Short mmCIF file of all heavy atoms in Angstrom, two decimals:
data_model
loop_
_atom_site.label_atom_id
_atom_site.label_comp_id
_atom_site.label_asym_id
_atom_site.label_seq_id
_atom_site.Cartn_x
_atom_site.Cartn_y
_atom_site.Cartn_z
N GLU W 28 3.99 8.27 15.80
CA GLU W 28 4.77 8.20 14.57
C GLU W 28 3.89 7.68 13.44
O GLU W 28 3.10 6.75 13.62
CB GLU W 28 5.96 7.26 14.77
CG GLU W 28 6.86 7.21 13.56
CD GLU W 28 8.10 6.39 13.81
OE1 GLU W 28 8.56 6.31 14.96
OE2 GLU W 28 8.60 5.81 12.84
N TYR W 47 12.92 2.74 1.65
CA TYR W 47 12.01 2.78 2.79
C TYR W 47 11.58 1.42 3.30
O TYR W 47 11.22 1.28 4.45
CB TYR W 47 10.73 3.55 2.42
CG TYR W 47 10.94 4.99 2.08
CD1 TYR W 47 10.35 5.53 0.95
CD2 TYR W 47 11.72 5.80 2.86
CE1 TYR W 47 10.53 6.86 0.63
CE2 TYR W 47 11.92 7.13 2.53
CZ TYR W 47 11.31 7.65 1.42
OH TYR W 47 11.49 8.95 1.11
N ASP W 65 12.40 -12.00 2.27
CA ASP W 65 11.48 -13.05 1.86
C ASP W 65 10.70 -13.66 3.02
O ASP W 65 9.85 -14.52 2.81
CB ASP W 65 12.24 -14.17 1.13
CG ASP W 65 12.64 -13.77 -0.27
OD1 ASP W 65 11.99 -12.87 -0.85
OD2 ASP W 65 13.61 -14.35 -0.79
N ILE W 104 14.31 -16.39 13.60
CA ILE W 104 13.65 -15.47 12.69
C ILE W 104 12.29 -15.07 13.25
O ILE W 104 11.90 -13.90 13.20
CB ILE W 104 13.52 -16.10 11.28
CG1 ILE W 104 14.91 -16.31 10.68
CG2 ILE W 104 12.66 -15.21 10.37
CD1 ILE W 104 14.92 -17.09 9.38
N LEU W 108 11.36 -11.17 14.02
CA LEU W 108 10.22 -10.51 13.39
C LEU W 108 9.15 -10.14 14.41
O LEU W 108 8.52 -9.09 14.30
CB LEU W 108 9.64 -11.40 12.29
CG LEU W 108 10.56 -11.64 11.09
CD1 LEU W 108 9.88 -12.55 10.07
CD2 LEU W 108 10.99 -10.34 10.44
#
Side-chain angles (χ1 to χ4, degrees):
E28 184 174 331
Y47 297 133
D65 285 336
I104 295 172
L108 294 179

